[in-house]
Amino acid sequence: MEPRDLSAQVAYQAGRGIEEVAREHGIDPGDLVKLASNENPFGPSPAAVDAIREAAGNASSYPKASHTDLTAELAERWNVKPAQVWLANGGDGALDYLARAMLDPGDTVLVPKPGFAYYGMSARYHHGEVREYPLSKDDGFALAADTVLSEYDGERIVYLTSPHNPSGGRFSLDAVEAIANETDDWTLVLVDEAYGEYADAPSAISLLDDRDDVAVLRTFSKAFGLAGVRLGYAVVPDDWADAYARVNTPFAASELACRGGLAALSDDEHVEKSVETTRWAREYIYDHLDAPTWESHGNFVLAEVGAASAVTAAVQERGVILRDCTSFGLPDCVRLTCGTRDETRRAVSELNEVLAE
Ligand code: PMP
C-alpha cells in the first residue's frame, strides 16, 4: 500500500519551538526568546482566553451559533454580506477552500518566490500546478504590478502577499487593481493579508465592492494572538460566495475558535498594544541591528546577515530563536519577529554580538 505520488509536495517547515530548542540545549524554556514564527508576543487577548474557557463547557456540541455570530460580526466589520466571509481552520484552511473552489486538475497557479510555502502546497493538494514570480533582493523585493504581470501566463489563481512574508513589503491597492484588470476574467487575485493589521494601509477588501475576481485572506493568528486555536477566513465576492457550502470542511472553525475569535475582535486594546509595539520594534531593529534590513509592514523584519544557518544556530545557543530564511531560498537572511520591547532589545543585542564575532 502506498499513498499517491507525493514527490512534488514539500513538507512545511515551521519556525523552531521553545520546548524543542530548550531540550536540545539543556536551557530553561523560560530563558528563551522565540522570535521565529511571527506569533504575538503578548499572547491572546485576555477576553479571548475567558471566552475559550467558557466555551469549553459546550465542547460536546458542533459549532453552529458561534460560527454564525462570528461570520456576522466580521461581515459588519468589513461591510460585506455574511455569506462572503468563509471561516476556516486558520488562514491555511481558507487557502485550501479557495483552491478547492477554483482549481480543476492541471490548472496552474502563480506564487511569489520567495514566499509563503503553503500556497504551492495547497494548490498541489488540489491537483494544481505551480509557477513562480521572482521577487528580487536586488530591487528590495519590490512588489509592483509588473513584477507579477511579467510572469503571468493565464494562471487560475495569482497569490499576492501583502504585507509579504518574509520581506515585509506590500502591494499598493492600485497595484492589486492593476493586476486584477490585466489578468484574464477567470483568474482569481488572492490577496493574503495575514499581517494586514500591522500595515498602515487599507485592506483590499474594499475592491470587492466592484469586482468578482479578488478575494482576501485574513487571520486571527497574528495581531489577535490566536495562532494556537487555528482561525482564519477569506472574504470573497458576493457573486460566488455560495460556493462555501460545497467546499468547506464541516465545522473546521471550532466552537472554541469561534468564541475566542469573537471575544478577540472586541478587545481593541490588545490589538492596539500589539500593533504599536510592533511599530516600535520594527524601528528599533532598523536603527540598532548591525546588518542591512528591509522596510517591513508586518510583525517581523528581514535582515541580511551572511550565513543564516550558522548565525541562527549561534544566536540560538545564546537563547534567541530566529527564523533561518534558507527554506525561503534566502540563505543569507534571517527573519526576526517583533517581540515585546525587552525581547526585541535582547534579540538585537545577541544577534549583533554574533555578527561581531
Ligand atoms: N499567510 C502568510 C503569509 C503567513 O505567513 C501565514 C502564517 N504562517 C498564513 C498565511 C497562515 O496563517 P494561519 O494559518 O495561522 O492563519
Side-chain angles (χ1 to χ4, degrees), residues 15-337:
R16 305 204 65 204
I18 285 203
E19 291 296 335
E20 177 190 0
V21 173
R23 265 182 231 149
E24 192 177 301
H25 295 287
I27 307 175
D28 179 345
D31 293 339
L32 284 171
V33 170
K34 184 190 175 205
L35 299 177
S37 298
N38 297 342
E39 292 148 339
N40 190 320
F42 296 110
S45 129
V49 174
D50 287 346
I52 289 169
R53 274 209 187 96
E54 210 169 299
N58 294 330
S60 52
S61 303
Y62 289 111
K64 292 187 95 169
S66 59
H67 192 284
T68 307
D69 292 350
L70 178 56
T71 302
E73 183 66 35
L74 288 167
E76 196 179 318
R77 173 171 286 231
W78 293 115
N79 200 20
V80 296
K81 295 184 183 155
Q84 292 177 255
V85 178
W86 291 15
L87 290 187
N89 188 263
D92 295 342
L95 290 171
D96 282 341
Y97 291 165
L98 288 164
R100 254 185 235 177
M102 289 295 149
L103 298 182
D104 277 320
D107 282 350
T108 303
V109 305
L110 190 62
V111 307
K113 169 104 187 120
F116 183 48
Y118 198 66
Y119 303 145
M121 294 171 69
S122 173
R124 289 191 181 100
Y125 293 147
H126 295 90
H127 307 280
E129 321 243 320
V130 180
R131 289 191 62 246
E132 295 171 336
Y133 58 94
L135 303 177
S136 157
K137 188 144 67 88
D138 298 338
D139 65 6
F141 302 101
L143 296 168
D146 273 353
T147 319
V148 179
L149 292 171
S150 59
E151 287 298 324
Y152 172 73
D153 189 23
E155 283 80 11
R156 179 63 154 142
I157 307 179
V158 171
Y159 295 82
L160 310 180
T161 323
S162 188
H164 176 259
N165 179 12
S167 73
R170 68 174 174 84
F171 285 93
S172 68
L173 276 198
D174 285 349
V176 175
E177 238 184 332
I179 292 165
N181 285 336
E182 294 296 318
T183 48
D184 298 342
D185 286 350
W186 91 314
T187 296
L188 174 69
V189 176
L190 202 176
V191 188
D192 178 349
E193 297 182 350
Y195 301 98
E197 287 80 9
Y198 302 105
D200 194 8
S203 167
I205 294 175
S206 60
L207 301 180
L208 273 59
D209 291 347
D210 306 314
R211 315 197 63 103
D212 68 358
D213 56 354
V214 172
V216 179
L217 178 143
R218 309 280 300 202
T219 181
F220 285 83
S221 293
K222 311 296 177 183
F224 294 99
L226 292 175
V229 309
R230 314 301 302 126
L231 182 65
Y233 58 102
V235 184
V236 309
D238 191 20
D239 296 23
W240 47 271
D242 61 352
Y244 184 60
R246 288 186 293 273
V247 299
N248 85 91
T249 303
F251 309 119
S254 75
E255 178 72 13
L256 304 192
C258 292
R259 288 290 167 217
L262 260 171
L265 280 179
S266 67
D267 190 347
D268 292 338
E269 203 183 310
H270 181 261
V271 177
E272 277 161 24
K273 180 170 74 174
S274 307
V275 171
E276 263 170 37
T277 308
T278 291
R279 294 199 172 135
W280 172 88
R282 290 190 307 220
E283 295 296 326
Y284 184 89
I285 296 169
Y286 307 148
D287 291 348
H288 294 87
L289 188 67
D290 299 332
T293 52
W294 286 268
E295 184 189 14
S296 172
H297 302 274
N299 67 339
F300 52 87
V301 173
L302 186 72
E304 191 168 33
V305 295
S309 64
V311 170
T312 34
V315 177
Q316 201 166 281
E317 281 189 12
R318 294 163 168 268
V320 175
I321 314 172
L322 301 179
R323 181 68 192 254
D324 168 5
C325 289
T326 304
S327 68
F328 284 101
L330 298 171
D332 51 1
C333 292
V334 298
R335 194 191 63 196
L336 295 81
T337 302

